[in-house]
Amino acid sequence: AQSVTQLDSHVSVSEGTPVLLRCNYSSSYSPSLFWYVQHPNKGLQLLLKYTSAATLVKGINGFEAEFKKSETSFHLTKPSAHMSDAAEYFCVVDRGSTLGRLYFGRGTQLTVWP
Amino acid sequence: DARVTQTPRHKVTEMGQEVTMRCQPILGHNTVFWYRQTMMQGLELLAYFRNRAPLDDSGMPKDRFSAEMPDATLATLKIQPSEPRDSAVYFCASGLNPEAFFGQGTRLTVV
């Protein structure tokens, strides 16, 4: 079975400081992993994906995530937060190999202070 | 710019009425999902299809919900009869291995 745990429901940072959103997963297979972002009253936008290629994945808007199999983690980072990064972020796991049921974490609300 | 299109964006209806939500997947995508988002439950999978065939609808209350893909360009989610607890944002997503793209959602309010 697949599951995702986002370790923080809320993260607050100051503009210009680093962002770390933590995600641990459980999967019986070699998973595909994703981060999605949702701005208020909007749909979900794909930030980045890991699909068994390079373990360090670069996404849009300066975000990165590193797949660590030994730690079953897929944390999302950004070196310098911008006000426009304030949103809810979802870590998502799929069984891998073929797009199938997506398992969502509960989300992390990122607040960016000026 | 290809995108998943959902209609309507907002729907307010009275309890007991039928609600139909529509989704136009991105052309060429073979997998379509329906998710429901609420504050309490987060994002829940209702159903998903591959090549128009339902693969998993275990998350859907069968007595009132139904999901179909009449053709490759249209997916529908129906609720009959609707209840206040169905109030949520319903998202459709389409994908082609390995990633999925979400629509803007239908915000349903049942009064």
Side-chain angles (χ1 to χ4, degrees):
Chain A
Q2 282 64 243
S3 68
V4 175
T5 302
Q6 291 185 243
L7 297 164
D8 306 291
S9 57
H10 291 86
V11 169
S12 294
V13 300
S14 297
E15 190 174 23
T17 64
V19 175
L20 171 64
L21 305 183
R22 298 182 295 166
C23 172
N24 286 108
Y25 70 91
S26 171
S27 177
S28 306
Y29 303 86
S30 295
S32 294
L33 292 155
F34 310 85
W35 277 97
Y36 283 83
V37 60
Q38 185 178 29
H39 290 274
N41 300 312
K42 299 289 186 185
L44 292 100
Q45 181 183 17
L46 181 64
L47 269 182
L48 50 77
K49 63 182 183 289
Y50 165 77
T51 56
S52 77
T55 56
L56 181 62
V57 180
K58 294 186 184 297
I60 62 172
N61 301 335
F63 284 94
E64 292 183 349
E66 187 171 7
F67 173 71
K68 292 187 176 180
K69 186 175 180 178
S70 60
E71 298 176 10
T72 60
S73 69
F74 190 58
H75 301 334
L76 182 70
T77 61
K78 183 173 180 177
S80 175
H82 191 270
M83 296 293 290
S84 61
D85 295 328
E88 187 147 25
Y89 292 79
F90 293 93
C91 183
V92 181
V93 65
D94 183 12
R95 262 174 63 158
S97 72
T98 304
L99 178 63
R101 177 177 181 150
L102 301 175
Y103 293 82
F104 279 79
R106 289 305 305 266
T108 297
Q109 183 68 45
L110 176 65
T111 300
V112 182
W113 300 102
Chain B
D1 187 24
R3 63 180 67 185
V4 177
T5 303
Q6 290 187 245
T7 56
R9 293 291 313 278
H10 302 271
K11 176 72 175 178
V12 179
T13 191
E14 291 185 348
M15 184 173 61
Q17 296 298 304
E18 176 177 304
V19 175
T20 298
M21 290 169 270
R22 293 178 173 81
C23 168
Q24 181 177 348
I26 294 172
L27 190 65
H29 283 187
N30 64 352
T31 306
V32 174
F33 304 86
W34 283 105
Y35 279 86
R36 174 170 65 184
Q37 186 177 35
T38 61
M39 290 291 290
M40 293 298 294
Q41 301 297 329
L43 280 148
E44 306 171 275
L45 177 70
L46 296 174
Y48 81 100
F49 297 77
R50 178 159 300 122
N51 298 320
R52 296 176 53 203
L55 286 191
D56 185 350
D57 61 1
S58 58
M60 212 163 59
K62 301 289 193 307
D63 56 339
R64 299 185 300 109
F65 284 59
S66 63
E68 295 179 344
M69 283 200 71
D71 61 59
T73 65
L74 177 64
T76 62
L77 179 66
K78 291 186 181 180
I79 309 174
Q80 168 62 25
S82 58
E83 298 181 0
R85 60 178 168 155
D86 301 329
S87 297
V89 181
Y90 291 80
F91 286 105
C92 174
S94 75
L96 189 63
N97 198 40
E99 58 199 29
F101 297 88
F102 282 74
Q104 296 281 67
T106 293
R107 182 174 296 276
L108 174 66
T109 303
V110 183
V111 298

